């Protein structure tokens, strides 16, 4: 006797991402999972009187996209509580921030995010005086789009406890004008105490609103699972409330910020606790600066500089100590490391931890893993690490690639090399550091062309099929969930995206223009195109 499906999708161009049966025209769903995948006639055998039948009209169906490194809760909260400074001139940014001063009591913080110097006509960082011109009565802090550099006005600096003679903290730096006065720029770990102790804490209501907003944005882009790359215990509480209340449309894998590690360990928690909607993932740490702010920690200096190698946030000793603790406690370790010098420190720490306490398949991760070389690739493969490179950066941040130079670009965002070395690499936007649509990431990895048509590191091009693997089954592998999602196979979670066109056959320069028709999680539609 056949089981009756809840829904059957017919007449579809199904790309299953299951190598044993790569294509199909129909899918049956029952209780949130795939019941059958195959030809229309075979799948229709599961039709019952209550089965919903959907004619997909030849459109393309893929497993729902997975972004393995993105900022979910914190971006949502920022969209709710901060000014979006992704604007084309410093004057426009000042006007936008001024708008926020209206009715804001003197002394209240004004916050902004997504400022990107190379996307402004002035082509420079904000200076303290730019923000003093907005307000002398409100402390102001604006984050760079890539994080890792923050910009303050004079009152903001004072409230943050920074004065002209504050020494640079470990792993961080305060910018100064030639006359020794603070220029308002705060780099790396210098921001941590400000974020923790000085800024007003977000409320759970901000978090709830932010989470709902950002989930709608992700669903619209075809994402069904996201790995939140920096989660606090306050975020965790609101995530759990959302899950319990049925208000978490996406599946979320949580990379817990390192400060929470001791409490999690002492409570007996380790990677994998949770369910297919919400799961505790790894412990997140940061080893160096960012690609987009030119603070990644590099073995060779930045182009045009004699000696600027970027910024190490943790040294080798601290990295090894923290890795060993989390490794021993049964956690996956996830360390932001962009530059080859930082990656070397992290890989060494993973090697030492694994030698001291061998674990079967810890799947430690190198977040971003932006600049590599053959030695690092070989060692990463030997460790079985997962890497989560920026997929959209060549396209979206093309104007910054000149700071790295053509030679280095041959080894940056090195998807071709990761595949050739047999390393599990994923799809990731690191929103808000680059726009969140996976289709932009896929296009960028395939073409290696920026938005002006300039090609960067064509050696690292991959095929559309390979890029789809990154955003589906490899994303599932990064959270130890390759057996329950990432491909369209009977028994797996019914997470789907329906695209207007097949990304394998359109002009690769137009992949990001393909419309997302529908996004489905566990058989439930969470986004439908208007
Ligand atoms: Zn990130």
């Amino acid at each position: 006797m056949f089981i009756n499906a809840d829904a059957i999708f017919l007449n579809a161009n199904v790309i299953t991402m299951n190598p044993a049966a790569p294509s199909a025209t129909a899918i049956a769903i029952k209780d949130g999972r795939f019941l059958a995948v195959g030809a229309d006639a075979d799948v229709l055998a599961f039709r019952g009187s209550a089965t919903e039948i959907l004619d997909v009209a030849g459109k393309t169906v893929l497993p729902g996209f997975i972004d393995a490194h993105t900022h979910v809760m914190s971006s949502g909260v920022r969209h709710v509580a901060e000014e979006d400074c992704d604007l084309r001139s410093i004057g426009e940014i000042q006007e936008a921030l001024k708008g926020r001063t209206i009715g804001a009591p003197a002394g209240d913080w004004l916050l902004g995010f997504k400022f990107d110097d190379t996307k402004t006509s002035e082509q420079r960082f904000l200076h303290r005086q730019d923000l003093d011109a907005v307000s002398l009565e409100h402390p102001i802090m604006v984050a760079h789009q890539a994080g890792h550099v923050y910009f303050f006005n004079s009152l903001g600096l004072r409230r943050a406890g920074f004065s002209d003679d504050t020494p640079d903290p470990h792993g961080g730096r305060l910018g100064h004008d030639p006359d020794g006065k603070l220029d308002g720029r705060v780099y790396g770990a210098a921001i941590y105490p400000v974020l923790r102790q000085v800024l007003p804490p977000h409320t759970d209501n901000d978090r709830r609103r932010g989470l709902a907003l950002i989930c709608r944005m992700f669903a619209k882009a075809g994402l069904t699972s996201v790995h939140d790359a920096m989660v606090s215990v306050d975020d965790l509480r609101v995530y759990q409330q959302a899950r319990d209340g049925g208000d978490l449309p996406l599946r979320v894998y949580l990379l817990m910020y390192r400060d929470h590690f001791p409490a999690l360990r002492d409570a007996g928690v380790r990677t994998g606790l949770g369910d297919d909607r919400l799961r505790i993932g790894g412990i997140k740490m940061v080893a160096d600066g960012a690609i987009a702010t030119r603070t990644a920690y590099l073995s060779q200096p930045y182009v045009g500089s004699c000696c600027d190698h970027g910024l190490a946030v943790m040294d080798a000793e601290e990295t090894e100590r923290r890795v060993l603790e989390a490794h021993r406690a049964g956690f996956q370790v996830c360390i932001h490391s962009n530059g080859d010098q930082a990656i070397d420190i992290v890989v060494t720490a993973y090697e030492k931890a694994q030698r001291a306490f061998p674990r079967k398949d810890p799947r430690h991760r190198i977040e971003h893993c932006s600049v590599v070389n053959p030695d690092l690739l070989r060692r990463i493969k030997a460790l079985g690490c997962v890497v989560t490179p920026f997929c959209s950066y060549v396209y979206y941040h093309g104007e910054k690639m000149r700071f790295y130079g053509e030679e280095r670009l041959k080894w940056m965002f090195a998807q071709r090399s990761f595949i050739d070395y047999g390393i599990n690499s994923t799809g990731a936007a690191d929103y808000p550091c680059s726009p969140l649509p996976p289709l932009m990431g896929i296009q960028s990895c395939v073409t290696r062309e920026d938005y002006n048509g300039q090609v960067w590191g064509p050696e690292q091009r991959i095929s559309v099929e390979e890029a789809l693997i990154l955003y589906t089954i490899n994303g599932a592998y990064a959270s130890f969930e390759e057996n329950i999602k990432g491909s369209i196979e009977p028994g797996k979670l019914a997470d789907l995206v329906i695209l207007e066109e097949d990304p394998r056959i359109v002009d690769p320069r137009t992949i990001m223009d393909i419309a997302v028709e529908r996004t489905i999680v566990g058989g439930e539609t969470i986004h439908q195109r208007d």
Side-chain angles (χ1 to χ4, degrees):
M1 213 192 91
F2 273 122
I3 306 162
N4 291 334
D6 296 331
I8 292 178
F9 291 60
L10 291 175
N11 189 20
N13 169 33
V14 184
I15 306 172
T16 67
M17 305 310 292
N18 169 17
S23 58
T25 61
I27 295 166
I29 295 171
K30 175 76 177 172
D31 296 332
R33 290 180 180 260
F34 297 121
L35 175 64
V37 182
D40 286 7
D42 300 330
V43 173
L44 273 173
F46 294 91
R47 176 185 201 158
S49 55
T51 303
E52 184 196 343
I53 304 289
L54 189 90
D55 184 338
V56 180
K59 289 180 177 138
T60 296
V61 176
L62 279 159
F65 292 132
I66 299 171
D67 189 315
H69 182 119
T70 200
H71 294 272
V72 184
M73 182 74 83
S74 63
S75 301
V77 169
R78 287 170 129 182
H79 275 288
V80 167
E82 301 184 14
E83 189 62 34
D84 187 334
C85 294
D86 184 10
L87 296 167
R88 298 293 85 96
S89 76
I90 289 175
E92 283 176 65
I93 291 162
Q94 288 171 318
E95 281 311 304
L97 288 167
K98 262 191 194 139
R100 290 219 166 220
T101 63
I102 299 165
D108 276 14
W109 279 91
L110 296 182
L111 303 173
F113 76 126
K114 284 169 83 173
F115 166 75
D116 189 345
D117 56 308
T118 65
K119 305 245 185 270
T120 62
S121 49
E122 293 86 350
Q123 295 282 308
R124 64 169 175 82
F125 280 167
L126 291 166
H127 187 277
R128 166 175 54 82
Q129 287 164 351
D130 299 319
L131 298 175
D132 281 346
V134 173
S135 177
L136 295 168
E137 294 172 354
H138 302 86
I140 300 176
M141 184 188 87
V142 175
H144 195 280
Q145 182 168 40
H148 307 273
V149 185
Y150 295 78
F151 309 94
F152 289 77
N153 67 348
S154 296
L155 183 55
L157 288 168
R158 282 203 299 281
R159 289 275 291 270
F162 298 133
S163 65
D164 295 342
D165 40 46
T166 303
D168 285 344
H170 178 60
R173 185 156 62 81
L174 300 173
H176 292 265
D177 284 332
D179 65 3
K181 277 190 158 41
L182 289 173
D183 62 12
R185 298 160 185 168
V186 173
Y187 299 81
I191 198 68
Y192 293 168
V194 183
L195 299 181
R196 271 197 296 265
Q197 292 146 24
V198 178
L199 296 182
H202 293 297
T203 64
D204 280 5
N205 194 38
D206 290 339
R207 290 192 183 84
R208 271 192 292 276
R209 285 170 57 212
L211 182 60
L213 175 71
I214 197 86
C215 283
R216 284 197 296 278
M217 292 166 67
F218 284 129
K220 207 174 162 188
L223 287 157
T224 56
S225 290
V226 285
H227 296 192
D228 191 332
M230 185 79 92
V231 178
S232 71
V233 289
D234 293 320
D235 298 340
L236 177 59
R237 181 178 61 251
V238 172
Y239 267 125
Q240 233 175 314
Q241 289 165 358
R243 197 270 316 268
D244 294 349
D247 297 323
L248 188 59
L250 300 171
R251 305 187 193 280
V252 189
Y253 186 67
L254 307 169
L255 308 192
M256 302 301 300
Y257 182 54
R258 69 175 203 197
D259 283 8
H260 305 303
F261 162 71
L264 291 166
R265 174 198 56 201
D266 295 347
V269 175
R270 61 186 168 81
T271 294
L273 180 69
D275 58 23
D276 58 42
R277 183 67 54 156
L278 184 66
R279 203 184 290 282
I280 299 279
I283 299 295
K284 169 72 184 293
M285 309 179 202
V286 175
D288 71 341
I291 290 294
T293 54
R294 286 83 73 199
T295 49
Y297 185 35
L298 301 169
S299 60
Q300 301 301 315
Y302 283 82
V303 170
S305 156
C306 62
C307 36
D308 179 7
H309 291 261
L311 190 66
V313 174
M314 289 196 292
D315 61 20
E317 184 277 324
E318 182 183 4
T319 307
E320 288 170 18
R321 176 171 52 78
R322 289 183 182 276
V323 165
L324 188 63
E325 289 177 338
H327 173 83
R328 283 184 70 174
F331 279 95
Q332 184 184 39
V333 182
C334 311
I335 307 185
H336 161 121
S337 17
N338 277 302
D340 52 343
Q341 201 76 345
I343 297 168
D344 183 67
I345 290 172
V346 168
V347 168
T348 303
Y350 289 163
E351 287 166 344
K352 287 188 176 174
Q354 189 63 352
R355 263 202 304 277
F357 292 94
R359 263 176 63 190
K360 190 169 168 286
D361 195 14
R363 276 185 220 187
H364 294 322
R365 303 175 26 153
I366 303 168
E367 304 301 322
H368 314 316
C369 202
S370 299
V371 183
V372 294
N373 57 52
D375 174 60
L376 288 175
L377 289 163
R378 188 182 48 71
R379 292 161 65 201
I380 293 166
K381 168 63 183 168
L383 282 164
C385 286
V386 169
V387 296
T388 63
F390 299 111
C391 291
S392 310
Y393 267 34
V394 169
Y395 175 79
Y396 186 75
H397 285 304
E399 79 280 359
K400 299 180 182 79
M401 297 305 134
R402 64 193 154 86
F403 297 108
Y404 295 90
E406 284 194 27
E407 264 316 296
R408 197 159 18 206
L409 255 297
K410 291 179 182 168
W411 295 100
M412 286 181 69
F413 325 116
Q415 297 287 16
R416 174 82 268 142
S417 297
F418 293 132
I419 293 170
D420 291 348
Y421 276 77
I423 293 165
N424 193 286
S425 177
T426 62
D430 198 20
Y431 186 77
C433 301
S434 66
L436 57 85
L439 289 170
M440 181 191 286
I442 291 168
Q443 174 173 326
S444 183
C445 291
V446 169
T447 65
R448 298 285 292 199
E449 263 185 44
D450 68 21
Y451 55 87
N452 289 319
Q454 182 160 355
V455 174
W456 296 98
E459 299 82 358
Q460 294 293 345
R461 278 183 183 138
I462 58 174
S463 69
V464 176
E465 287 82 353
E466 288 167 333
L468 292 173
I469 291 171
L470 307 181
Y471 274 99
T472 55
I473 193 70
N474 282 13
Y477 181 88
S479 60
F480 299 88
E481 292 174 304
E482 69 276 17
N483 293 326
I484 59 167
K485 65 187 182 188
S487 61
I488 299 175
E489 299 180 52
K492 281 196 169 183
L493 297 165
D495 297 352
L496 296 174
V497 58
I498 303 179
L499 302 178
E500 188 184 23
E501 288 181 271
D502 186 337
R504 299 172 305 179
I505 59 175
V506 301
D507 176 346
R509 290 185 190 86
T510 65
I511 290 173
M512 60 184 271
D513 304 326
I514 297 172
V516 174
E517 297 275 337
R518 203 193 262 245
T519 309
I520 296 171
V521 174
E524 302 279 329
T525 296
I526 61 164
H527 163 74
Q528 196 158 4
R529 190 183 173 197
D530 301 327

